[in-house]
Amino acid sequence: MERIQRRKSLQLRNQQAAWQESNDGQSMMEFRRSLPAQKERQSLLEAISQNQVVVVSGETGCGKTTQLPQYILESEIEAARGATCSIICTQPRRISAISVSERVAAERGEKIGESVGYKVRLEGMRGRDTRLLFCTTGVLLRRLLVDRSLKGVTHVIVDEIHERGMNEDFLLIVLKDLLPRRPELRLVLMSATLNAEMFSSYFGGAPMIHIPGFTYPVRSRFLEDILEVTGHRLTPYNQIDDYGQEKSWKMQKQALRKRKSQIASVVEDAVKAADLRDYSPQTRDSLSCWNPDSIGFNLIENVLCHICQKERDGAVLVFMTGWDDINTLKDQLQSNPLLGDPSKVLLLACHGSMASSEQKLIFDKPEPGVRKIVLATNLAETSITINDVVFVVDCGKAKETSYDALNNTPCLLPTWISKASARQRRGRAGRVQSGECFHLYPQCVYNVFADYQLPELLRTPLQSLCLQIKSLRLGSISEFLSRALQSPESLSVPFFSLFVTTITNFVLCAFR
Ligand SMILES: Nc1ncnc2c1ncn2[C@@H]1O[C@H](COP(=O)(O)OP(=O)(O)OP(=O)(O)O)[C@@H](O)[C@H]1O
């Protein structure tokens, strides 16, 4: 067995060297060497070999997602351990797991499923020789339920931990528990932002390495500049998003949103206090009518027409909040004479509930002379690179789980994003060329955004959280949550544990 593995390791080493020496390989290596992560390659590898846990923070575009897992794979192959290493890198979403694995395979001159593969829910591409597997956080969490010690895995890399989704926080608890039982396992936590200290101290003071970011220049334009440049006028009547329902229903829906908007009053104060002396009276007038609670379909349509008519070539990525917004906006744009003309504009949507094959269409290049416009949710916010994106339009909101106190139920509502998210959205332009970002809210509103989004664990209603812990069979609810990076209010946990136990017993009795 050992002899076979040794032979396989040498074969992998020869293949890797042959690619790196080939012409295509050389030009790919040259590009990879230009990324900021390259300067830290040696120190990253040393830190990983000497410590069980390492926290890496890297600003957008530095190369942490595509390069760091590759550095580990390459160094293991160079050390003739290729056949025995097994690296798992988690991504918060399917689309990033798939697209990053394809990019890394291409950078290694391979097809997907050779040494690099992916696994997401109900889909996967990996072969017998796959050594670096990209998967969603949920996939790894579920594997841990049946394979508690992650047998055979040598490295786990958790990417985008700053997003603090529920699965990521759950995974950290389970991995922290696993580390003492697997002293040779290496864990690398990667974050796009600088709040690495919290993760480091959670893992007993794990070393931190920071990689500065790299993007081509991206010019940010906020609402006041957009209104100035497009000449679009905001009135109290043209900001009601038309969802195609009865008008009274629409008004009700938007009034409801207004009541729920957490920072609406802060936003109003910020807009009142903003210094807009340098802007035209028309822009100031428009801003005084701005409705922070609408997504602004008409404004988006106007901005897109402006880009198509006045700006240079390049695809546009529009960040929306969800399926209903994307679909309704798409219908509206399709009835616009310019944006709805398929010989000029290719309109695509990208949403979490779409099949991966449909999501992947956003990476294709359109016909010459056709501008690609992608309407996406925040699933396109991190880790992905759409090569031809030059313009980003950011509506400033994302759907977030929150609690409807009136109906005592969890609900998904559009909420303002954080500064970290706005930076990530802007970062989707400027990855292979310079770009422009149109933020559809005033600069003063951006200034009052929270630095980071509240972790999902702290904003999910406790009933859902407790049921999730039970369905994943993660043990006692209060004990499990007490081991979290930031645990929900300790007082309410025992109450909800009792609630869940009662429900479980009730269901068991009913089926007996
Ligand atoms: N599919 C791709 N096609 C072309 N270039 C790419 C592709 N994916 C990545 N790159 C290049 O590699 C660089 C680094 O990408 P990578 O995804 O590793 O960055 P990152 O540091 O993880 O940033 P982020 O957290 O914003 O995703 C990009 O800025 C881009 O220039």
Side-chain angles (χ1 to χ4, degrees):
M1 185 68 181
E2 248 174 48
R3 267 229 319 267
I4 299 173
Q5 283 190 328
R6 174 106 194 121
R7 204 174 323 132
K8 185 78 218 161
S9 291
L10 293 177
Q11 192 188 336
L12 283 168
R13 191 161 73 178
N14 292 342
Q15 271 170 8
Q16 180 166 290
W19 161 249
Q20 289 175 350
E21 280 155 22
S22 69
N23 284 344
D24 287 350
Q26 293 260 327
S27 59
M28 187 54 94
M29 292 302 282
E30 199 178 315
F31 165 75
R32 292 181 53 207
R33 275 195 283 268
S34 72
L35 293 172
Q38 175 67 27
K39 288 197 198 78
E40 303 296 331
R41 186 181 196 269
Q42 209 40 44
S43 45
L44 285 165
L45 289 173
E46 272 168 24
I48 293 166
S49 76
Q50 287 160 14
N51 300 276
Q52 197 174 16
V53 186
V54 176
V55 181
V56 179
S57 61
E59 288 157 40
T60 187
C62 73
K64 71 187 157 39
T65 306
T66 53
Q67 303 307 306
L68 197 129
Q70 237 184 131
Y71 294 160
I72 300 176
L73 177 64
E74 285 167 339
S75 80
E76 289 295 299
I77 291 180
E78 276 155 26
R81 287 192 296 263
T84 48
C85 82
S86 168
I87 308 159
I88 294 183
C89 178
T90 68
Q91 293 293 317
R93 300 181 188 90
R94 279 184 300 151
I95 189 167
S96 37
I98 299 174
S99 66
V100 172
S101 64
E102 284 173 348
R103 171 67 186 174
V104 172
E107 288 189 4
R108 293 181 50 76
E110 293 175 3
K111 288 203 197 72
I112 189 79
E114 294 182 21
S115 70
V116 183
Y118 71 84
K119 174 82 187 89
V120 298
R121 189 162 44 96
L122 306 176
E123 270 179 71
M125 271 294 237
R126 64 172 154 181
R128 243 184 357 176
D129 293 335
T130 297
R131 301 281 139 229
L132 168 56
L133 183 77
F134 288 90
C135 65
T136 48
T137 321
V139 162
L140 179 58
L141 203 51
R142 275 178 178 78
R143 170 161 174 191
L144 272 157
L145 297 182
V146 287
D147 175 10
R148 295 259 167 199
S149 58
L150 283 186
K151 201 160 163 270
V153 175
T154 53
H155 300 77
V156 174
I157 305 168
V158 186
D159 197 6
E160 313 292 359
I161 39 165
H162 63 278
E163 283 202 12
R164 303 290 308 278
M166 182 151 38
N167 277 348
E168 283 74 27
D169 272 15
F170 278 9
L171 184 64
L172 291 189
I173 304 175
V174 178
L175 288 172
K176 192 175 178 197
D177 188 43
L178 168 65
L179 290 175
R181 289 185 279 123
R182 285 282 317 274
E184 73 291 4
L185 178 70
R186 293 294 181 258
L187 174 64
V188 182
L189 307 174
M190 299 204 292
S191 158
T193 49
L194 285 168
N195 63 345
E197 287 85 7
M198 184 173 43
F199 299 102
S200 158
S201 64
Y202 182 65
F203 283 97
M208 293 176 281
I209 296 183
H210 178 67
I211 314 172
F214 172 78
T215 56
Y216 292 87
V218 180
R219 179 155 61 136
S220 277
R221 290 180 179 177
F222 287 92
L223 185 60
E224 50 273 40
D225 306 305
I226 297 172
L227 294 174
E228 198 83 350
V229 72
T230 60
H232 182 70
R233 245 198 143 106
L234 297 177
T235 69
Y237 310 103
N238 68 359
Q239 297 175 73
I240 297 171
D241 297 331
D242 185 354
Y243 284 87
Q245 317 279 337
E246 284 298 304
K247 199 164 183 153
S248 58
W249 182 83
K250 277 180 301 184
M251 302 289 277
Q252 255 176 24
K253 181 171 171 166
Q254 282 168 30
L256 192 73
R257 272 190 196 161
K258 188 166 183 110
R259 209 170 49 226
K260 294 215 166 86
S261 169
Q262 291 162 350
I263 64 166
S265 59
V266 185
V267 165
E268 272 161 32
D269 294 346
V271 175
K272 270 187 212 138
D275 182 4
L276 299 164
R277 265 173 303 183
D278 294 341
Y279 292 89
S280 67
Q282 183 184 318
T283 298
R284 287 204 298 255
D285 208 37
S286 274
L287 279 177
S288 68
C289 300
W290 177 59
N291 175 5
D293 292 302
S294 93
I295 302 290
F297 291 170
N298 295 334
L299 176 61
I300 297 176
E301 183 177 349
N302 201 278
V303 169
L304 292 175
C305 283
H306 164 83
I307 293 173
C308 290
Q309 288 166 333
K310 307 261 171 66
E311 302 279 352
R312 65 201 147 116
D313 287 349
V316 192
L317 177 60
V318 186
F319 282 100
M320 302 293 291
T321 72
W323 188 230
D324 49 352
D325 295 333
I326 289 180
N327 256 351
T328 317
L329 178 66
K330 198 170 169 204
D331 288 346
Q332 177 167 336
L333 300 183
Q334 265 161 347
S335 55
N336 179 292
L338 168 63
L339 304 171
D341 180 350
S343 65
K344 297 200 179 98
V345 172
L346 171 66
L347 262 181
L348 296 171
C350 185
H351 180 264
S353 65
M354 284 164 62
S356 311
S357 53
E358 280 181 283
Q359 291 183 347
K360 273 170 64 181
L361 294 177
I362 65 169
F363 296 104
D364 294 346
K365 256 201 150 43
E367 297 290 317
V370 176
R371 193 185 289 271
K372 178 167 81 182
I373 298 180
V374 179
L375 311 179
T377 60
N378 54 356
L379 72 76
E381 201 172 284
T382 45
S383 286
I384 68 162
T385 300
I386 308 174
N387 262 324
D388 49 350
V389 165
V390 171
F391 304 97
V392 167
V393 178
D394 163 26
C395 77
K397 297 187 181 94
K399 276 207 179 129
E400 220 177 54
T401 332
S402 52
Y403 188 64
D404 181 347
L406 284 179
N407 298 311
N408 192 23
T409 49
C411 50
L412 262 181
L413 282 178
T415 322
W416 290 102
I417 56 172
S418 63
K419 285 191 177 123
S421 287
R423 266 199 307 276
Q424 284 290 325
R425 290 181 176 193
R426 188 176 54 214
R428 293 313 106 190
R431 292 172 80 78
V432 289
Q433 54 194 314
S434 60
E436 309 252 345
C437 183
F438 295 80
H439 300 282
L440 304 182
Y441 42 89
Q443 163 106 54
C444 58
V445 170
Y446 169 80
N447 295 343
V448 295
F449 280 179
D451 287 338
Y452 304 105
Q453 196 191 23
L454 197 66
E456 199 178 357
L457 212 63
L458 302 187
R459 64 186 147 82
T460 301
L462 274 168
Q463 299 101 306
S464 318
L465 201 63
C466 297
L467 287 169
Q468 181 79 354
I469 294 171
K470 279 292 165 201
S471 74
L472 285 171
R473 288 178 280 125
L474 294 170
S476 142
I477 294 168
S478 43
E479 201 266 329
F480 183 77
L481 286 179
S482 69
R483 288 187 280 133
L485 198 56
Q486 287 166 289
S487 44
E489 274 176 60
S490 47
L491 273 180
S492 10
V493 172
F495 169 73
F496 282 109
S497 302
L498 186 64
F499 164 82
V500 171
T501 314
T502 314
I503 293 206
T504 316
N505 289 341
F506 175 75
V507 173
L508 286 177
C509 286
F511 284 95
R512 217 167 261 158

